[in-house]
């Protein structure tokens, strides 16, 4: 039984190390997914190519926004999904207008 636990621990440690090494979210089928849960954007930093879609899924019971100061804003109702197509000049910091402590960053990959 201890051999099984050791193997399970090795798998868990390896998985955690892989996840910790991933700084930016990667696009899957041209869409980068951001989850909003417990007043936080997860992941907080994403990297996309111009033309790819960013999709926010709001799991909180209240509305949020993805707001770029002096730029665009996406409203994400509770329990819903909202999207934005990244443009070449979208390397930006963003926040939730309703909850300004919620912050994220979008980086456009070259």
């Amino acid at each position: 039984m201890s051999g099984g636990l050791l193997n399970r621990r090795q798998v868990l440690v390896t998985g955690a190390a892989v996840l910790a090494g991933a700084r930016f979210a990667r696009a899957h089928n041209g869409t980068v997914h951001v989850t909003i849960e417990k007043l936080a954007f997860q992941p907080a930093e994403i990297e996309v190519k111009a033309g790819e879609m960013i999709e926010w899924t709001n799991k909180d019971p209240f509305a949020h926004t993805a707001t770029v100061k002096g730029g665009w804003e996406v409203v994400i109702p509770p329990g819903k999904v909202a999207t934005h197509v990244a443009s070449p000049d979208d390397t930006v910091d963003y926040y939730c207008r309703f909850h300004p402590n919620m912050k994220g960053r979008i980086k456009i990959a070259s």
Side-chain angles (χ1 to χ4, degrees):
M1 181 157 193
S2 64
L5 279 176
L6 182 59
N7 289 337
R8 184 175 176 197
R9 284 184 187 147
Q10 288 173 333
V11 169
L12 291 173
V13 168
T14 302
V18 168
L19 290 174
R23 183 170 175 205
F24 295 109
R26 299 289 179 217
H28 176 70
N29 295 332
T31 301
V32 174
H33 301 274
V34 178
T35 300
I36 302 169
E37 191 168 23
K38 299 179 183 172
L39 294 168
F41 295 111
Q42 299 171 10
E45 293 187 44
I46 59 174
E47 184 175 276
V48 300
K49 293 179 182 174
E52 288 183 326
M53 185 175 298
I54 303 166
E55 180 181 279
W56 289 271
T57 301
N58 185 355
K59 293 187 175 183
D60 281 339
F62 32 80
H64 292 292
T65 69
T67 303
V68 175
K69 189 174 182 178
W72 50 265
E73 177 173 87
V74 176
V75 177
I76 311 117
K80 302 289 182 183
V81 171
T83 61
H84 172 76
V85 176
S87 66
D89 58 343
D90 269 347
T91 293
V92 294
D93 292 316
Y94 69 96
Y95 66 99
C96 175
R97 184 168 41 89
F98 306 135
H99 311 98
N101 59 318
M102 291 177 58
K103 297 177 182 175
R105 177 160 179 76
I106 300 168
K107 180 182 178 196
I108 299 298
S110 49

